[in-house]
Amino acid sequence: MSVQRYFITLSYDGTKYHGWQIQPNGMSVEERLRQALSTLLRQSVETVGAGRTDAGVHARKMVVHFDYEFSEDSLPASDLIDGQMLDCQQLVYRLNRLLPRDIAVQSVEPVASDLHARFSATSRTYHYYIHTRKDPFLSNYSCEMHYPLDFEVMNEAAEWLLTQTDFASFCKAGADVKTTLCTLTHARWHQLTDDSWRFEITANRFLRNMVRAVVGTLVEVGRGRITLEEFQQIVSTHSRSAAGESMPAHALFLVEVKY
């Protein structure tokens, strides 16, 4: 018996799901993927994702790994096996036929056994969308806001974040994390149209609820409700209660994972 590790790259609309990770209180993207893999490969398949997107959060690119055991038990799935490797192109096709419309697999590829979807990732990038005029075609994937925002000062605050390493102020209270240290390499608002903006943020890792808390606090800066100096003090307190409210999940996308 031999074991081969594979990376899956997929995207999903998180609207109907209780996040990426399997949990007892509702359907998750991971559960759907595991069900499909186990059905096609005729063996119980465990998956590990590059991150744990919250309920309602989307992914343009999520990376997942799983291990496949080649043995006599593999014979029922022999039409998906080419020698001692899975037929990756055929597996992508069948997964997309079996998975619901809001989950799409782009690729499956063999990787080294020590490559880990979560721990081997060197950076992750998220986008958060805001629009300032009612638009029925944006409402499901962007946060509608109707008060003036000073994006120039919001970018000043975002740039200052790049000088920091401890982001406890933006970590969900009670989160089970060993450290709140992260290395940010990019954080900036970009104007897309006259009425829409996108916040882009890249780091080696993110804390639970971190991006939405960062955006919520930057919005408070943009509204003039807190100054740049107060924003810096909020980060320095390392207290979640000092920062702004978390923004709605539906406007957040995981867009890139690098290795």
Side-chain angles (χ1 to χ4, degrees), residues 133-184:
R133 183 174 64 178
K134 186 176 181 180
D135 187 331
F137 302 107
L138 294 178
S139 59
N140 291 331
Y141 305 103
S142 177
C143 183
E144 187 174 324
M145 312 190 81
H146 292 287
Y147 35 75
L149 292 171
D150 186 339
F151 285 95
E152 184 175 343
V153 72
M154 289 162 70
N155 270 333
E156 288 185 47
E159 185 175 2
W160 180 82
L161 285 176
L162 303 182
T163 68
Q164 303 302 297
T165 56
D166 193 333
F167 294 92
S169 295
F170 303 118
C171 182
K172 186 172 183 178
D176 183 18
V177 292
K178 294 181 179 179
T179 176
T180 53
L181 301 180
C182 307
T183 302
L184 267 63

Short mmCIF file of all heavy atoms in Angstrom, two decimals, residues 133-184:
data_model
loop_
_atom_site.label_atom_id
_atom_site.label_comp_id
_atom_site.label_asym_id
_atom_site.label_seq_id
_atom_site.Cartn_x
_atom_site.Cartn_y
_atom_site.Cartn_z
N ARG A 133 -23.50 53.24 -3.26
CA ARG A 133 -24.79 53.51 -3.88
C ARG A 133 -25.52 52.19 -4.07
O ARG A 133 -24.92 51.19 -4.47
CB ARG A 133 -24.61 54.21 -5.24
CG ARG A 133 -25.93 54.60 -5.91
CD ARG A 133 -25.70 55.41 -7.17
NE ARG A 133 -25.00 54.63 -8.19
CZ ARG A 133 -24.72 55.09 -9.39
NH1 ARG A 133 -25.02 56.34 -9.72
NH2 ARG A 133 -24.08 54.33 -10.27
N LYS A 134 -26.81 52.17 -3.80
CA LYS A 134 -27.58 50.94 -3.89
C LYS A 134 -27.43 50.30 -5.27
O LYS A 134 -27.61 50.95 -6.29
CB LYS A 134 -29.06 51.22 -3.61
CG LYS A 134 -29.91 49.95 -3.52
CD LYS A 134 -31.34 50.28 -3.14
CE LYS A 134 -32.17 49.00 -3.03
NZ LYS A 134 -33.57 49.29 -2.66
N ASP A 135 -27.08 49.01 -5.26
CA ASP A 135 -26.87 48.28 -6.51
C ASP A 135 -27.29 46.83 -6.29
O ASP A 135 -26.65 46.10 -5.53
CB ASP A 135 -25.40 48.35 -6.92
CG ASP A 135 -25.13 47.76 -8.29
OD1 ASP A 135 -25.87 46.84 -8.70
OD2 ASP A 135 -24.18 48.22 -8.96
N PRO A 136 -28.38 46.39 -6.94
CA PRO A 136 -28.87 45.02 -6.71
C PRO A 136 -27.89 43.94 -7.14
O PRO A 136 -27.99 42.80 -6.69
CB PRO A 136 -30.16 44.97 -7.55
CG PRO A 136 -29.98 46.03 -8.59
CD PRO A 136 -29.20 47.11 -7.92
N PHE A 137 -26.93 44.29 -8.00
CA PHE A 137 -25.98 43.29 -8.48
C PHE A 137 -24.73 43.19 -7.60
O PHE A 137 -23.88 42.35 -7.82
CB PHE A 137 -25.59 43.61 -9.93
CG PHE A 137 -26.77 43.66 -10.85
CD1 PHE A 137 -27.23 44.88 -11.33
CD2 PHE A 137 -27.45 42.51 -11.20
CE1 PHE A 137 -28.34 44.94 -12.16
CE2 PHE A 137 -28.55 42.55 -12.02
CZ PHE A 137 -29.01 43.77 -12.51
N LEU A 138 -24.64 44.06 -6.62
CA LEU A 138 -23.52 44.02 -5.68
C LEU A 138 -23.94 43.58 -4.28
O LEU A 138 -23.10 43.21 -3.46
CB LEU A 138 -22.86 45.40 -5.58
CG LEU A 138 -22.14 45.93 -6.82
CD1 LEU A 138 -21.58 47.33 -6.53
CD2 LEU A 138 -21.01 45.00 -7.24
N SER A 139 -25.22 43.62 -4.01
CA SER A 139 -25.71 43.47 -2.63
C SER A 139 -25.30 42.17 -1.96
O SER A 139 -25.14 42.13 -0.74
CB SER A 139 -27.24 43.60 -2.60
OG SER A 139 -27.85 42.61 -3.42
N ASN A 140 -25.10 41.09 -2.73
CA ASN A 140 -24.74 39.80 -2.13
C ASN A 140 -23.24 39.64 -1.89
O ASN A 140 -22.83 38.72 -1.18
CB ASN A 140 -25.23 38.65 -3.01
CG ASN A 140 -26.74 38.52 -3.00
OD1 ASN A 140 -27.39 38.88 -2.02
ND2 ASN A 140 -27.30 38.03 -4.09
N TYR A 141 -22.43 40.53 -2.50
CA TYR A 141 -20.98 40.34 -2.43
C TYR A 141 -20.21 41.61 -2.09
O TYR A 141 -19.00 41.66 -2.23
CB TYR A 141 -20.48 39.77 -3.76
CG TYR A 141 -21.20 38.51 -4.14
CD1 TYR A 141 -22.18 38.51 -5.12
CD2 TYR A 141 -20.93 37.31 -3.49
CE1 TYR A 141 -22.88 37.35 -5.46
CE2 TYR A 141 -21.60 36.14 -3.82
CZ TYR A 141 -22.58 36.17 -4.80
OH TYR A 141 -23.26 35.03 -5.11
N SER A 142 -20.91 42.63 -1.64
CA SER A 142 -20.27 43.89 -1.26
C SER A 142 -21.12 44.52 -0.18
O SER A 142 -22.34 44.32 -0.13
CB SER A 142 -20.17 44.81 -2.49
OG SER A 142 -19.61 46.06 -2.14
N CYS A 143 -20.48 45.29 0.69
CA CYS A 143 -21.18 45.92 1.81
C CYS A 143 -21.63 47.32 1.40
O CYS A 143 -20.81 48.16 1.03
CB CYS A 143 -20.26 45.98 3.02
SG CYS A 143 -21.04 46.67 4.50
N GLU A 144 -22.93 47.55 1.47
CA GLU A 144 -23.50 48.85 1.08
C GLU A 144 -23.39 49.83 2.24
O GLU A 144 -23.84 49.55 3.35
CB GLU A 144 -24.96 48.67 0.67
CG GLU A 144 -25.60 49.90 0.09
CD GLU A 144 -27.00 49.62 -0.44
OE1 GLU A 144 -27.22 48.52 -0.98
OE2 GLU A 144 -27.86 50.50 -0.30
N MET A 145 -22.80 51.01 1.99
CA MET A 145 -22.61 52.02 3.02
C MET A 145 -23.05 53.37 2.48
O MET A 145 -22.80 53.68 1.31
CB MET A 145 -21.14 52.07 3.47
CG MET A 145 -20.55 50.71 3.78
SD MET A 145 -18.93 50.78 4.57
CE MET A 145 -19.42 51.08 6.25
N HIS A 146 -23.69 54.18 3.34
CA HIS A 146 -24.28 55.43 2.87
C HIS A 146 -23.81 56.65 3.63
O HIS A 146 -24.51 57.64 3.70
CB HIS A 146 -25.82 55.33 2.92
CG HIS A 146 -26.37 54.35 1.94
ND1 HIS A 146 -26.40 54.59 0.59
CD2 HIS A 146 -26.88 53.11 2.12
CE1 HIS A 146 -26.93 53.54 -0.03
NE2 HIS A 146 -27.21 52.63 0.87
N TYR A 147 -22.60 56.60 4.18
CA TYR A 147 -22.04 57.80 4.78
C TYR A 147 -20.65 58.03 4.20
O TYR A 147 -19.99 57.11 3.74
CB TYR A 147 -21.98 57.69 6.32
CG TYR A 147 -21.69 56.33 6.86
CD1 TYR A 147 -20.40 55.79 6.80
CD2 TYR A 147 -22.70 55.57 7.44
CE1 TYR A 147 -20.14 54.53 7.32
CE2 TYR A 147 -22.43 54.31 7.95
CZ TYR A 147 -21.16 53.80 7.89
OH TYR A 147 -20.91 52.55 8.39
N PRO A 148 -20.22 59.28 4.18
CA PRO A 148 -18.93 59.62 3.56
C PRO A 148 -17.77 58.93 4.27
O PRO A 148 -17.74 58.82 5.49
CB PRO A 148 -18.85 61.14 3.74
CG PRO A 148 -20.26 61.58 3.96
CD PRO A 148 -20.93 60.47 4.69
N LEU A 149 -16.83 58.45 3.47
CA LEU A 149 -15.64 57.80 4.00
C LEU A 149 -14.41 58.46 3.41
O LEU A 149 -14.33 58.68 2.19
CB LEU A 149 -15.64 56.31 3.66
CG LEU A 149 -16.70 55.43 4.33
CD1 LEU A 149 -16.69 54.03 3.72
CD2 LEU A 149 -16.46 55.35 5.83
N ASP A 150 -13.45 58.77 4.25
CA ASP A 150 -12.19 59.36 3.80
C ASP A 150 -11.20 58.23 3.57
O ASP A 150 -10.51 57.78 4.49
CB ASP A 150 -11.67 60.34 4.86
CG ASP A 150 -10.44 61.10 4.41
OD1 ASP A 150 -9.75 60.63 3.48
OD2 ASP A 150 -10.16 62.17 4.99
N PHE A 151 -11.12 57.75 2.32
CA PHE A 151 -10.27 56.60 2.02
C PHE A 151 -8.79 56.95 2.09
O PHE A 151 -7.95 56.07 2.31
CB PHE A 151 -10.63 56.02 0.65
CG PHE A 151 -11.92 55.24 0.66
CD1 PHE A 151 -13.11 55.85 0.30
CD2 PHE A 151 -11.93 53.92 1.06
CE1 PHE A 151 -14.30 55.13 0.32
CE2 PHE A 151 -13.12 53.19 1.09
CZ PHE A 151 -14.31 53.80 0.72
N GLU A 152 -8.46 58.22 1.94
CA GLU A 152 -7.06 58.63 2.05
C GLU A 152 -6.55 58.41 3.47
O GLU A 152 -5.46 57.83 3.68
CB GLU A 152 -6.91 60.09 1.65
CG GLU A 152 -5.46 60.56 1.65
CD GLU A 152 -5.29 61.98 1.14
OE1 GLU A 152 -6.22 62.49 0.49
OE2 GLU A 152 -4.22 62.57 1.41
N VAL A 153 -7.32 58.83 4.44
CA VAL A 153 -6.89 58.64 5.83
C VAL A 153 -7.00 57.16 6.22
O VAL A 153 -6.21 56.66 7.03
CB VAL A 153 -7.69 59.55 6.79
CG1 VAL A 153 -9.12 59.09 6.95
CG2 VAL A 153 -7.01 59.61 8.16
N MET A 154 -7.97 56.46 5.63
CA MET A 154 -8.07 55.02 5.88
C MET A 154 -6.83 54.30 5.37
O MET A 154 -6.34 53.34 6.01
CB MET A 154 -9.33 54.46 5.22
CG MET A 154 -10.62 54.90 5.90
SD MET A 154 -12.10 54.69 4.87
CE MET A 154 -12.23 52.90 4.82
N ASN A 155 -6.28 54.76 4.27
CA ASN A 155 -5.06 54.15 3.75
C ASN A 155 -3.84 54.51 4.60
O ASN A 155 -2.90 53.72 4.71
CB ASN A 155 -4.83 54.56 2.29
CG ASN A 155 -5.49 53.59 1.32
OD1 ASN A 155 -5.66 52.41 1.63
ND2 ASN A 155 -5.84 54.07 0.14
N GLU A 156 -3.86 55.67 5.20
CA GLU A 156 -2.78 56.02 6.12
C GLU A 156 -2.78 55.07 7.31
O GLU A 156 -1.72 54.59 7.75
CB GLU A 156 -2.94 57.47 6.60
CG GLU A 156 -2.64 58.53 5.57
CD GLU A 156 -2.71 59.92 6.15
OE1 GLU A 156 -2.14 60.15 7.24
OE2 GLU A 156 -3.35 60.79 5.54
N ALA A 157 -3.96 54.79 7.83
CA ALA A 157 -4.07 53.87 8.96
C ALA A 157 -3.68 52.45 8.53
O ALA A 157 -2.98 51.74 9.26
CB ALA A 157 -5.50 53.88 9.50
N ALA A 158 -4.11 52.05 7.34
CA ALA A 158 -3.79 50.71 6.84
C ALA A 158 -2.29 50.55 6.65
O ALA A 158 -1.72 49.49 6.98
CB ALA A 158 -4.54 50.45 5.53
N GLU A 159 -1.63 51.58 6.13
CA GLU A 159 -0.18 51.52 5.92
C GLU A 159 0.55 51.39 7.25
O GLU A 159 1.56 50.67 7.36
CB GLU A 159 0.30 52.76 5.17
CG GLU A 159 1.77 52.71 4.80
CD GLU A 159 2.19 53.90 3.94
OE1 GLU A 159 1.35 54.77 3.66
OE2 GLU A 159 3.37 53.94 3.56
N TRP A 160 0.04 52.05 8.29
CA TRP A 160 0.67 51.96 9.61
C TRP A 160 0.60 50.54 10.15
O TRP A 160 1.51 50.09 10.87
CB TRP A 160 0.00 52.94 10.57
CG TRP A 160 0.59 52.90 11.94
CD1 TRP A 160 1.72 53.53 12.38
CD2 TRP A 160 0.08 52.16 13.07
NE1 TRP A 160 1.95 53.24 13.71
CE2 TRP A 160 0.96 52.41 14.16
CE3 TRP A 160 -1.02 51.35 13.27
CZ2 TRP A 160 0.76 51.86 15.42
CZ3 TRP A 160 -1.22 50.78 14.52
CH2 TRP A 160 -0.33 51.03 15.58
N LEU A 161 -0.45 49.81 9.78
CA LEU A 161 -0.59 48.42 10.24
C LEU A 161 0.59 47.56 9.81
O LEU A 161 0.93 46.59 10.49
CB LEU A 161 -1.88 47.81 9.71
CG LEU A 161 -3.20 48.25 10.36
CD1 LEU A 161 -4.37 47.60 9.64
CD2 LEU A 161 -3.22 47.89 11.85
N LEU A 162 1.22 47.92 8.69
CA LEU A 162 2.34 47.13 8.19
C LEU A 162 3.55 47.19 9.11
O LEU A 162 4.45 46.36 9.01
CB LEU A 162 2.74 47.61 6.79
CG LEU A 162 1.65 47.58 5.72
CD1 LEU A 162 2.21 48.05 4.38
CD2 LEU A 162 1.04 46.19 5.58
N THR A 163 3.55 48.15 10.02
CA THR A 163 4.66 48.28 10.97
C THR A 163 4.41 47.48 12.24
O THR A 163 5.29 47.43 13.11
CB THR A 163 4.89 49.76 11.34
OG1 THR A 163 3.78 50.24 12.13
CG2 THR A 163 5.03 50.62 10.09
N GLN A 164 3.24 46.88 12.35
CA GLN A 164 2.86 46.17 13.57
C GLN A 164 2.96 44.66 13.40
O GLN A 164 2.97 44.15 12.27
CB GLN A 164 1.44 46.55 13.97
CG GLN A 164 1.23 48.04 14.18
CD GLN A 164 2.17 48.60 15.24
OE1 GLN A 164 2.11 48.24 16.40
NE2 GLN A 164 3.06 49.50 14.81
N THR A 165 3.03 43.95 14.51
CA THR A 165 3.11 42.48 14.47
C THR A 165 2.06 41.80 15.34
O THR A 165 1.68 40.66 15.06
CB THR A 165 4.50 41.99 14.90
OG1 THR A 165 4.80 42.52 16.22
CG2 THR A 165 5.57 42.45 13.92
N ASP A 166 1.58 42.48 16.39
CA ASP A 166 0.61 41.87 17.29
C ASP A 166 -0.78 42.43 16.99
O ASP A 166 -1.04 43.61 17.16
CB ASP A 166 0.98 42.15 18.75
CG ASP A 166 0.18 41.28 19.72
OD1 ASP A 166 -0.95 40.88 19.38
OD2 ASP A 166 0.68 41.02 20.83
N PHE A 167 -1.68 41.55 16.56
CA PHE A 167 -3.02 41.97 16.13
C PHE A 167 -4.12 41.40 17.02
O PHE A 167 -5.22 41.11 16.57
CB PHE A 167 -3.23 41.58 14.67
CG PHE A 167 -2.33 42.34 13.73
CD1 PHE A 167 -1.10 41.80 13.37
CD2 PHE A 167 -2.68 43.59 13.26
CE1 PHE A 167 -0.24 42.50 12.53
CE2 PHE A 167 -1.83 44.30 12.43
CZ PHE A 167 -0.61 43.75 12.06
N ALA A 168 -3.81 41.30 18.32
CA ALA A 168 -4.79 40.79 19.28
C ALA A 168 -6.06 41.65 19.29
O ALA A 168 -7.16 41.14 19.57
CB ALA A 168 -4.18 40.75 20.67
N SER A 169 -5.93 42.94 18.99
CA SER A 169 -7.10 43.83 18.99
C SER A 169 -8.12 43.46 17.93
O SER A 169 -9.27 43.90 17.99
CB SER A 169 -6.66 45.28 18.79
OG SER A 169 -5.88 45.73 19.87
N PHE A 170 -7.70 42.65 16.95
CA PHE A 170 -8.59 42.28 15.86
C PHE A 170 -8.90 40.79 15.86
O PHE A 170 -9.40 40.25 14.87
CB PHE A 170 -7.97 42.66 14.51
CG PHE A 170 -7.63 44.13 14.42
CD1 PHE A 170 -6.32 44.53 14.24
CD2 PHE A 170 -8.61 45.11 14.52
CE1 PHE A 170 -5.98 45.88 14.15
CE2 PHE A 170 -8.29 46.45 14.43
CZ PHE A 170 -6.97 46.84 14.24
N CYS A 171 -8.60 40.11 16.95
CA CYS A 171 -8.86 38.67 17.06
C CYS A 171 -10.14 38.43 17.84
O CYS A 171 -10.34 39.02 18.91
CB CYS A 171 -7.69 37.98 17.76
SG CYS A 171 -7.87 36.20 17.91
N LYS A 172 -11.00 37.59 17.33
CA LYS A 172 -12.27 37.31 17.99
C LYS A 172 -12.04 36.84 19.42
O LYS A 172 -11.19 35.97 19.67
CB LYS A 172 -13.05 36.25 17.22
CG LYS A 172 -14.45 36.00 17.76
CD LYS A 172 -15.25 35.10 16.85
CE LYS A 172 -16.67 34.93 17.36
NZ LYS A 172 -17.49 34.08 16.45
N ALA A 173 -12.78 37.41 20.35
CA ALA A 173 -12.63 37.06 21.76
C ALA A 173 -12.88 35.57 21.97
O ALA A 173 -13.83 35.01 21.44
CB ALA A 173 -13.60 37.88 22.61
N GLY A 174 -12.00 34.93 22.73
CA GLY A 174 -12.16 33.52 23.02
C GLY A 174 -11.60 32.59 21.97
O GLY A 174 -11.71 31.37 22.09
N ALA A 175 -11.01 33.14 20.92
CA ALA A 175 -10.43 32.30 19.86
C ALA A 175 -9.26 31.49 20.41
O ALA A 175 -8.46 31.98 21.18
CB ALA A 175 -9.97 33.17 18.69
N ASP A 176 -9.19 30.23 19.98
CA ASP A 176 -8.15 29.33 20.46
C ASP A 176 -6.91 29.48 19.58
O ASP A 176 -6.72 28.77 18.60
CB ASP A 176 -8.66 27.88 20.41
CG ASP A 176 -7.64 26.90 20.97
OD1 ASP A 176 -6.71 27.34 21.68
OD2 ASP A 176 -7.76 25.69 20.67
N VAL A 177 -6.07 30.46 19.92
CA VAL A 177 -4.84 30.69 19.15
C VAL A 177 -3.66 30.74 20.11
O VAL A 177 -3.77 31.23 21.23
CB VAL A 177 -4.91 32.01 18.34
CG1 VAL A 177 -5.94 31.91 17.24
CG2 VAL A 177 -5.21 33.20 19.25
N LYS A 178 -2.52 30.22 19.66
CA LYS A 178 -1.32 30.21 20.49
C LYS A 178 -0.60 31.54 20.45
O LYS A 178 0.11 31.90 21.38
CB LYS A 178 -0.39 29.08 20.03
CG LYS A 178 -0.96 27.68 20.24
CD LYS A 178 0.01 26.61 19.79
CE LYS A 178 -0.56 25.23 20.02
NZ LYS A 178 0.38 24.16 19.56
N THR A 179 -0.76 32.27 19.35
CA THR A 179 -0.11 33.57 19.21
C THR A 179 -0.98 34.49 18.37
O THR A 179 -1.73 34.03 17.51
CB THR A 179 1.27 33.43 18.55
OG1 THR A 179 1.84 34.73 18.36
CG2 THR A 179 1.19 32.74 17.21
N THR A 180 -0.89 35.78 18.65
CA THR A 180 -1.63 36.78 17.87
C THR A 180 -0.68 37.58 16.98
O THR A 180 -1.02 38.65 16.51
CB THR A 180 -2.42 37.72 18.79
OG1 THR A 180 -1.52 38.28 19.77
CG2 THR A 180 -3.54 36.99 19.50
N LEU A 181 0.52 37.03 16.76
CA LEU A 181 1.50 37.69 15.91
C LEU A 181 1.28 37.33 14.44
O LEU A 181 1.11 36.15 14.11
CB LEU A 181 2.92 37.30 16.33
CG LEU A 181 3.32 37.61 17.77
CD1 LEU A 181 4.76 37.17 18.02
CD2 LEU A 181 3.16 39.10 18.06
N CYS A 182 1.28 38.33 13.58
CA CYS A 182 1.14 38.15 12.14
C CYS A 182 2.07 39.12 11.43
O CYS A 182 2.38 40.19 11.96
CB CYS A 182 -0.30 38.42 11.68
SG CYS A 182 -1.59 37.52 12.56
N THR A 183 2.49 38.75 10.23
CA THR A 183 3.32 39.63 9.42
C THR A 183 2.52 40.10 8.22
O THR A 183 2.26 39.32 7.30
CB THR A 183 4.60 38.91 8.96
OG1 THR A 183 5.34 38.45 10.10
CG2 THR A 183 5.47 39.85 8.14
N LEU A 184 2.13 41.38 8.24
CA LEU A 184 1.39 41.96 7.12
C LEU A 184 2.36 42.51 6.09
O LEU A 184 3.33 43.17 6.44
CB LEU A 184 0.47 43.09 7.60
CG LEU A 184 -0.98 42.71 7.94
CD1 LEU A 184 -1.02 41.73 9.10
CD2 LEU A 184 -1.80 43.95 8.24
#
